[in-house]
């Protein structure tokens, strides 16, 4: 019996030596100590022995059992540790590897320019009004005193949706909408998108941006208009620039003018930016026509006002030296990322 036990112990030892996983170790445990295990069988067969013998064999078998259990415990610990090390190795990350680059976006130059313009007017107490890009013919033309035969109404100049609805060609309809909504004193600017049937080239885009301005109050004169816009030009282009107002025509203002600034690149001597003239046209403006004030039910005996409108792309191109308007809408990060 003793030799049998020694053999079992030896066998268990050998098998455990080659086991390298928890599952294998568990199989060995079942093979020797399980219900039908080799050692269990010996313990079970002891019933047929006489008491003296049983005592001796029992002790020896228990001794063997403890030894196998101790070996199993050692193996379990070793295999567990090995498996843990294996896992660590597999999951190891190289912290010195460069991370993924997530490119950061920047504000678009059009947004930057609109922000600059609005900041200047907000510092003068103007607030921001908004109007729809899909506009009625009424607000885009009629309410703004545009004659029925005005060329800008033509199908070839304007995107019509039907006879009464179009994509606004200017931000000026916000003037009429604001006059209907607010009572004087009124002091608003309105930045936004406009649309015209233009074939894209270096200076034309069928979609572009304008900033509209409207001020209505008692006793407002052309002097207020000139003072306001001169101050605006100096804040936007530099305190050295001079302004010049040339008579012009717009249906919704009378008198109307275009404002030029002295060239901020060459100081007025004449260069490529100002095309040699020393002056750059910046915006349209004028005293609000009484017919427009009438649309909003404003008492034209009591109130007068001025209005102005400027193209954002044009100003951005001049100020930042952008040579082609199409660059604004190509979404090339190499272009957009230059202006921070
Ligand atoms: N809406 C005009 C345009 O698109 C610009 C303009 C000129 C707006 C004179 C005004 C203004 O408010 O008074 O050409």
């Amino acid at each position: 019996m003793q030799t049998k036990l020694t053999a079992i112990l030896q066998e268990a030892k050998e098998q455990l030596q080659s086991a390298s996983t928890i599952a294998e170790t568990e199989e060995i445990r079942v093979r020797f100590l399980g219900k039908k295990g080799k050692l269990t069988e010996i313990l079970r067969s002891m019933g047929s022995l006489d008491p003296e013998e049983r005592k001796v064999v029992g002790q020896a078998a228990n001794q063997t059992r403890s030894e196998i259990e101790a070996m199993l415990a050692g193996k379990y610990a070793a295999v567990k540790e090995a498996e843990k090390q294996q896992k660590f190795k597999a999951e190891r990350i190289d912290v010195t590897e460069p991370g993924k680059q997530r490119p950061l976006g920047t504000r678009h130059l059009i947004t930057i320019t609109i922000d600059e313009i609005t900041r200047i007017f907000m510092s003068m107490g103007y607030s921001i009004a908004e109007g729809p890009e899909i506009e009625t013919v009424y607000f885009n033309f009629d309410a703004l005193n545009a004659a029925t035969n005005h060329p800008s109404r033509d199908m070839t100049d304007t995107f019509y949706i039907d006879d009464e609805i179009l994509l606004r060609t200017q931000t000026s309809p916000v003037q009429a909408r604001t006059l209907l909504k607010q009572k004087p004193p009124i002091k608003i600017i309105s930045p936004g998108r406009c649309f015209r049937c233009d074939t894209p080239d270096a200076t034309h885009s069928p979609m572009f941006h304008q900033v509209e301005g409207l001020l209505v109050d008692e006793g407002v004169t052309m002097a207020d208009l000139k003072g306001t816009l001169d101050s605006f030009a100096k804040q936007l282009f530099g305190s050295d620039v001079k302004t010049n107002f040339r008579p012009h025509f717009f249906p919704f203002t009378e008198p109307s003018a275009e404002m030029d600034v002295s060239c901020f690149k060459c100081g007025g001597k004449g260069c490529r930016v100002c095309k040699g003239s020393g002056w750059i046209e910046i915006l349209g403006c004028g005293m609000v026509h009484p017919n427009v004030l009438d649309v909003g039910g404003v008492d034209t005996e009591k109130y007068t006002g001025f209005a102005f409108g400027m193209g954002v792309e044009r100003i951005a191109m001049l100020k930042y030296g952008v040579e082609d308007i199409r660059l604004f809408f190509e979404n090339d990060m190499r272009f957009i990322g230059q202006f921070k």
Side-chain angles (χ1 to χ4, degrees):
M1 197 53 96
Q2 185 59 52
T3 44
K4 229 176 175 179
L5 286 171
T6 315
I8 287 175
L9 187 61
Q10 185 56 31
E11 204 184 333
K13 201 185 228 164
E14 276 164 18
Q15 289 191 15
L16 275 173
Q17 252 160 16
S18 58
S20 58
T21 64
I22 290 184
E24 278 171 22
T25 313
E26 178 61 15
E27 269 171 32
I28 294 166
R29 189 191 65 77
V30 172
R31 209 172 296 144
F32 290 91
L33 304 181
K35 260 189 202 153
K36 291 181 185 156
K38 293 189 172 171
L39 192 64
T40 319
E41 264 168 23
I42 289 185
L43 287 165
R44 227 179 251 145
S45 68
M46 280 184 351
S48 56
L49 299 176
D50 59 52
E52 242 346 89
E53 226 178 347
R54 198 186 299 162
K55 200 174 151 194
V56 178
V57 173
Q59 265 177 6
N62 279 332
Q63 173 68 25
T64 306
R65 183 192 184 90
S66 314
E67 278 176 42
I68 294 179
E69 274 173 353
M71 284 193 313
L72 277 166
K75 191 68 189 181
Y76 273 124
V79 164
K80 241 187 187 159
E81 179 61 24
E83 283 191 1
K84 196 165 88 185
Q85 292 305 333
Q86 193 75 33
K87 219 170 149 194
F88 278 160
K89 226 181 198 168
E91 287 176 1
R92 194 176 61 183
I93 48 166
D94 181 357
V95 292
T96 64
E97 228 178 63
K100 279 202 183 108
Q101 292 275 351
R102 290 204 191 284
L104 259 190
T106 53
R107 276 188 310 161
H108 194 282
L109 183 53
I110 293 302
T111 310
I112 292 173
T113 308
I114 289 176
D115 286 351
E116 285 179 18
I117 296 168
T118 39
R119 197 173 313 125
I120 293 169
F121 282 107
M122 284 174 82
S123 77
M124 299 191 219
Y126 287 71
S127 49
I128 296 181
E130 278 189 89
E133 290 168 8
I134 302 170
E135 188 50 285
T136 59
V137 171
Y138 173 75
F139 276 118
N140 197 80
F141 293 123
D142 301 279
L144 296 172
N145 199 38
T148 40
N149 62 351
H150 196 279
S152 63
R153 288 186 181 244
D154 203 282
M155 286 282 284
T156 56
D157 283 321
T158 297
F159 294 111
Y160 285 89
I161 289 164
D162 60 27
D163 287 348
E164 277 159 34
I165 299 171
L166 44 69
L167 299 184
R168 67 177 178 190
T169 61
Q170 49 187 355
T171 45
S172 302
V174 183
Q175 286 189 40
R177 287 181 173 276
T178 305
L179 287 167
L180 280 170
K181 260 189 273 181
Q182 298 181 24
K183 296 252 161 296
I186 291 169
K187 214 173 169 185
I188 59 106
I189 55 162
S190 185
R193 252 186 286 270
C194 305
F195 307 85
R196 290 181 196 175
C197 297
D198 282 328
T199 306
D201 63 22
T203 54
H204 293 84
S205 164
M207 189 280 291
F208 58 98
H209 299 74
Q210 287 188 337
V211 176
E212 192 77 15
L214 173 70
L215 181 142
V216 181
D217 203 347
E218 284 181 56
V220 177
T221 70
M222 191 91 183
D224 298 308
L225 177 158
K226 290 177 80 174
T228 300
L229 295 179
D230 182 76
S231 166
F232 162 71
K234 287 182 163 61
Q235 290 182 65
L236 188 64
F237 294 112
S239 50
D240 298 340
V241 301
K242 295 187 196 62
T243 52
N244 179 51
F245 291 81
R246 266 181 299 108
H248 200 78
F249 173 79
F250 296 106
F252 34 85
T253 41
E254 184 59 38
S256 303
E258 278 190 329
M259 183 181 85
D260 302 329
V261 299
S262 57
C263 182
F264 44 85
K265 272 271 143 52
C266 65
K269 289 197 281 293
C271 69
R272 218 159 66 91
V273 174
C274 58
K275 300 198 182 89
S277 75
W279 294 94
I280 302 171
E281 179 202 316
I282 293 297
L283 52 77
C285 57
M287 300 306 290
V288 184
H289 197 290
N291 288 355
V292 178
L293 293 174
D294 275 343
V295 167
V298 175
D299 181 353
T300 51
E301 292 297 315
K302 194 171 170 197
Y303 294 105
T304 48
F306 65 77
F308 53 89
M310 62 193 89
V312 177
E313 281 78 1
R314 185 177 158 72
I315 288 176
M317 287 170 82
L318 289 166
K319 187 167 174 183
Y320 292 94
V322 178
E323 305 215 321
D324 195 316
I325 196 172
R326 289 167 292 198
L327 287 165
F328 289 122
F329 309 118
E330 283 170 357
N331 275 345
D332 187 332
M333 278 304 289
R334 289 170 304 181
F335 171 73
I336 294 171
Q338 289 176 53
F339 312 98
K340 299 237 162 101

